[in-house]
Amino acid sequence: MTDVRSRRETRPPPLPHPRGSLSAAVVNTLRGAGQSLPQLPTDAYGDDLQLALYVLYELHYQGFDGVSDDREWDPELLTLRAMLEDLFLDALRADVPIDASDTAEQALNQLQCEPVGDDSGSVSHFLRNHGTLEHFREYAALRSLYHLKEADPHAWVIPRLRGRAKAAMVAVEFDEFGAGRADEIHAELFADLMADLGLDTSYGHYLDAAPAEALATVNLMSLLGLHRALRGALVGHFAAVEVTSSPASRRLAEALERMGAGPSAIRFYTEHVEADAVHEQVVRHEVVAGLLASEPWLDADVVFGIRATGHQEDRLAARLLGAWRAGSTALRTGGIAPAVAGRPVT
């Protein structure tokens, strides 16, 4: 695997193809072509707005090939990003109302209630019980937009925490980043999974293929992570991910075993079964509890982060399952290159 990793693309990805006048304006601006801002779209969850927001956020991560790193702090781009964030956040708050009686403890307890039998709205249940290897390859391609930078969006919150919450958050992130071993970084393990499935492991390679529902799940993390005012919601998002990860990862590992996938693909999820079972307890009893012990007024924000995460994941699941059950693809570009046995794309 070391030889495969050494050949992986390390350059920033190319800019994506626009999906409307807004994303075209952003992409063209980053290419150096001046362009006036068009009227903002009304659909906060649509392809045009979500792609524009994703591109603007990506300037804070790996950037884009041919785009100066100085554009990360371009005042005009930051102003535009703030406008798009307001539209996205307003839509989320409208779709995920929080009652005054809701508490983070209740919201976390609800996440721990696993369905009995086959959950018709669950991607992991579908993949385990009915999915094909091509379904899983689509799923991995879309998830790569996050997993190839796994834990990065959550790291933004570390300087905004204190005491118990900060110490516990750093401990969990330390595991996510390989516990001091570069070959154990979870983003690298996911790239190994992709290689095992014959997918291109280049960072951002599947951006053009990803529908708005997939972009929105990643944009939510960046939105919450990049704003101190939303630190409670980011902790809620992180808690939701860790609480639900272990059982879902077990189902996904079982799916890959049934499909005959290789050991590197299976290992990514078996690693998360064990690690996230521990992380769940640390996040719940130290990160969340520690945050609320010092800043109890953030309880509703934690609930919002938990519920907004579920809302976006449900939208992505509906997109995936609707396409798969109709015998179609969930990807915008109509599919991915077929796998070649023994010759993963790197």
Side-chain angles (χ1 to χ4, degrees):
M1 190 58 66
T2 301
D3 289 342
V4 172
R5 284 179 170 178
S6 68
R7 297 196 302 271
R8 285 180 185 157
E9 181 63 76
T10 57
R11 292 184 307 172
L15 284 162
H17 294 92
R19 304 184 190 179
S21 58
L22 175 62
S23 53
V26 171
V27 168
N28 288 336
T29 297
L30 292 175
R31 284 180 175 147
Q35 185 167 336
S36 59
L37 180 67
Q39 183 175 355
L40 297 182
T42 57
D43 183 5
Y45 298 145
D47 274 294
D48 196 21
L49 186 144
Q50 288 297 324
L51 179 61
L53 194 53
Y54 186 96
V55 169
L56 292 170
Y57 282 143
E58 195 56 38
L59 298 175
H60 297 288
Y61 294 104
Q62 298 299 317
F64 293 98
D65 191 25
V67 176
S68 171
D69 290 341
D70 292 339
R71 302 310 292 270
E72 178 182 6
W73 300 110
D74 184 300
E76 293 184 0
L77 293 177
L78 291 175
T79 299
L80 172 59
R81 197 190 84 189
M83 296 167 64
L84 304 186
E85 287 176 331
D86 286 344
L87 291 172
F88 188 28
L89 193 56
D90 286 348
L92 287 168
R93 293 199 184 281
D95 290 339
V96 188
I98 306 300
D99 188 87
S101 62
D102 291 335
T103 67
E105 182 178 5
Q106 293 170 343
L108 289 171
N109 287 340
Q110 291 168 357
L111 288 180
Q112 291 183 309
C113 296
E114 279 280 295
V116 177
D118 189 359
D119 182 353
S120 62
S122 164
V123 172
S124 62
H125 279 87
F126 177 90
L127 288 171
R128 183 191 65 184
N129 299 332
H130 314 290
T132 66
L133 188 58
E134 287 308 304
H135 289 142
F136 210 110
R137 294 178 76 236
E138 283 195 13
Y139 178 74
L142 295 182
R143 286 301 194 188
S144 70
L145 297 185
Y146 166 63
H147 280 304
L148 290 182
K149 59 171 175 263
E150 184 170 341
D152 289 352
H154 301 112
W156 296 113
V157 81
I158 291 173
R160 294 157 184 165
L161 301 177
R162 294 178 292 178
R164 283 170 59 197
K166 173 176 280 191
M169 188 75 188
V170 169
V172 175
E173 289 281 88
F174 181 65
D175 285 348
E176 300 285 350
F177 294 132
R181 293 182 56 188
D183 59 337
E184 294 296 318
I185 293 174
H186 285 189
E188 288 292 336
L189 297 182
F190 193 81
D192 293 344
L193 173 148
M194 296 178 72
D196 212 334
L197 297 180
L199 295 169
D200 193 306
T201 63
S202 303
Y203 183 92
H205 179 81
Y206 293 103
L207 177 54
D208 280 328
E213 293 87 349
L215 300 182
T217 63
V218 186
N219 284 341
L220 176 61
M221 303 181 210
S222 299
L223 168 66
L224 302 180
L226 285 167
H227 291 272
R228 183 179 184 279
L230 297 173
R231 63 194 180 282
L234 187 282
V235 166
H237 183 286
F238 192 59
V241 170
E242 296 298 331
V243 168
T244 58
S245 174
S246 186
S249 293
R250 181 177 293 106
R251 289 189 288 270
L252 293 171
E254 291 169 353
L256 288 168
E257 289 173 353
R258 178 179 64 79
M259 296 170 188
S264 293
I266 296 169
R267 189 197 170 206
F268 177 81
Y269 289 108
T270 56
E271 168 71 15
H272 282 71
V273 171
E274 298 176 8
D276 290 346
V278 176
H279 292 172
E280 171 195 339
Q281 297 301 312
V282 175
V283 171
R284 177 166 186 156
H285 298 295
E286 297 299 326
V287 179
V288 175
L291 173 70
L292 296 182
S294 61
E295 299 183 274
W297 54 87
L298 294 180
D299 202 334
D301 287 355
V302 176
V303 176
F304 172 70
I306 293 170
R307 300 252 171 94
T309 302
H311 179 260
Q312 292 305 304
E313 290 295 331
D314 287 347
R315 294 184 69 254
L316 176 57
R319 169 76 182 229
L320 292 168
L321 296 176
W324 293 345
R325 287 171 176 152
S328 183
T329 175
L331 305 182
R332 294 184 69 256
T333 52
I336 50 182
V340 179
R343 294 177 58 192
V345 178
T346 58

